[in-house]
Amino acid sequence: MDVWSYFEGKPEIFAALVALLVGVGAVLGAKIQANGGRDQAAAAREAAKIAAEAQHVAALWTVRQVQVAEYMQRVREVERLIERLYTEDSSNGELEARLGEAEQAMDQKQAELELIASEAVVEAAMKLREAVWHARSYAVKTGPLRYAQLVIYIQMDSDDPGDVAIAQQAREAVEELHAAKRQGNRMEIERAHRQARVALCEVEAITNDLASSALPKFAENGWLLEQDSGQFSLLRKMETLVSAAREMLRSEDNVAPTVPPQRRWWRRAA
């Protein structure tokens, strides 16, 4: 006897079975639909998390790029002002005041950089700051002397023999001052100082204030100075910072910043 023969003459049993099968199908359908909804919700949450992390990485990358660029700009502004100490009359103090303000702005940017950049970039920035300090200190110490030398050299290259003689006399006077300083004879130092002042002020572009600023430097150092201005070290430290920043920003990758690979929702169930 097959199944269909069994249900012949028993319509009430067949109807109950059909109803039972329909109910089971409805329950299974509802369960499948519910599970699908939960899976979709989990996938949506995972996608939102990945998007949020991507936005965070992109924002961090942008902030780092801006902070490093602004810090480098501040350093280069300080460097430009340092170089001007050698080529301009800074005896009135205005250039040094501007240099001090530029250094404060640079230090502010360095502090901001230390909060956001990688350890390698922070270390490179600190070493660059040390090089800036050295170059700045040397420039403040010897800038007036260097500028006075520049003015004297320019006049020594003049077509006027009289101007050349005045410039040469100024150079010889400061060399005599340095020699007297080394001997340590007070009276001789005072005499040489007076003569050097007169000789310097006779040079067309040297003012009394510049002569006052340069004479102590000439007395201490003479005409020739050591060339350790710190400019070369400053350049090397800047190159180190640029390299560290490019590595932090993945500049060689030529791609947008990415989020580390994420575990998908269907793998977490395992």
Side-chain angles (χ1 to χ4, degrees):
M1 181 179 62
D2 59 18
V3 174
W4 299 112
S5 299
Y6 173 78
F7 287 114
E8 289 181 1
K10 301 182 180 65
E12 68 282 358
I13 297 177
F14 182 75
L17 178 61
V18 170
L20 177 62
L21 292 175
V22 171
V24 170
V27 170
L28 290 175
K31 183 175 182 180
I32 292 172
Q33 185 176 7
N35 288 337
R38 285 194 295 270
D39 291 344
Q40 290 177 353
R45 288 194 298 271
E46 183 69 13
K49 181 179 179 181
I50 293 173
E53 290 175 348
Q55 290 177 353
H56 172 74
V57 171
L60 179 61
W61 186 92
T62 300
V63 171
R64 282 176 164 179
Q65 182 193 41
V66 171
Q67 292 292 348
V68 172
E70 290 183 352
Y71 177 66
M72 291 171 57
Q73 181 181 2
R74 297 295 188 276
V75 171
R76 285 169 175 156
E77 176 62 20
V78 171
E79 186 178 8
R80 283 192 291 269
L81 291 171
I82 288 174
E83 291 173 353
R84 287 179 58 184
L85 288 173
Y86 297 113
T87 59
E88 297 180 21
D89 185 354
S90 59
S91 56
N92 60 10
E94 292 182 3
L95 189 54
E96 283 192 44
R98 290 186 58 185
L99 179 57
E101 293 174 357
E103 282 187 299
Q104 289 182 358
M106 179 187 66
D107 289 340
Q108 174 65 32
K109 282 300 171 184
Q110 181 174 346
E112 295 174 4
L113 193 65
E114 290 173 356
L115 297 176
I116 198 71
S118 66
E119 183 176 351
V121 171
V122 171
E123 182 178 357
M126 293 177 66
K127 291 182 178 179
L128 177 59
R129 181 65 180 93
E130 292 176 2
V132 170
W133 181 87
H134 176 77
R136 189 256 193 199
S137 298
Y138 187 86
V140 170
K141 178 182 177 182
T142 64
L145 184 156
R146 291 291 194 190
Y147 178 63
Q149 282 182 327
L150 175 63
V151 170
I152 293 172
Y153 273 130
I154 291 174
Q155 187 159 320
M156 288 175 65
D157 196 39
S158 171
D159 295 330
D160 187 334
D163 289 342
V164 174
I166 290 174
Q168 184 63 38
Q169 184 178 4
R171 174 173 178 171
E172 294 173 356
V174 298
E175 289 177 338
E176 291 178 6
L177 173 61
H178 178 56
K181 177 74 173 180
R182 293 182 63 184
Q183 293 175 0
N185 187 312
R186 182 175 179 180
M187 293 183 61
E188 186 63 22
I189 292 173
E190 292 177 353
R191 182 197 64 78
H193 191 279
R194 289 193 297 270
Q195 289 183 348
R197 171 179 285 277
V198 172
L200 285 177
C201 289
E202 287 183 355
V203 177
E204 183 176 356
I206 296 182
T207 64
N208 286 327
D209 289 340
L210 177 57
S212 297
S213 298
L215 278 171
K217 321 298 183 185
F218 277 123
E220 191 68 30
N221 300 280
W223 181 259
L224 297 178
L225 281 174
E226 296 180 3
Q227 299 300 313
D228 184 21
S229 66
Q231 296 298 103
F232 179 72
S233 176
L234 185 58
L235 176 62
R236 293 292 299 272
K237 295 299 189 297
M238 176 64 83
E239 291 175 348
T240 300
L241 174 63
V242 171
S243 296
R246 288 178 62 83
E247 183 175 353
M248 176 184 69
L249 298 172
R250 298 178 59 188
S251 300
E252 298 299 330
D253 291 357
N254 197 29
V255 294
T258 58
V259 180
Q262 304 292 318
R263 293 185 61 191
R264 299 306 177 191
W265 58 269
W266 57 81
R267 295 179 181 173
R268 292 178 181 172

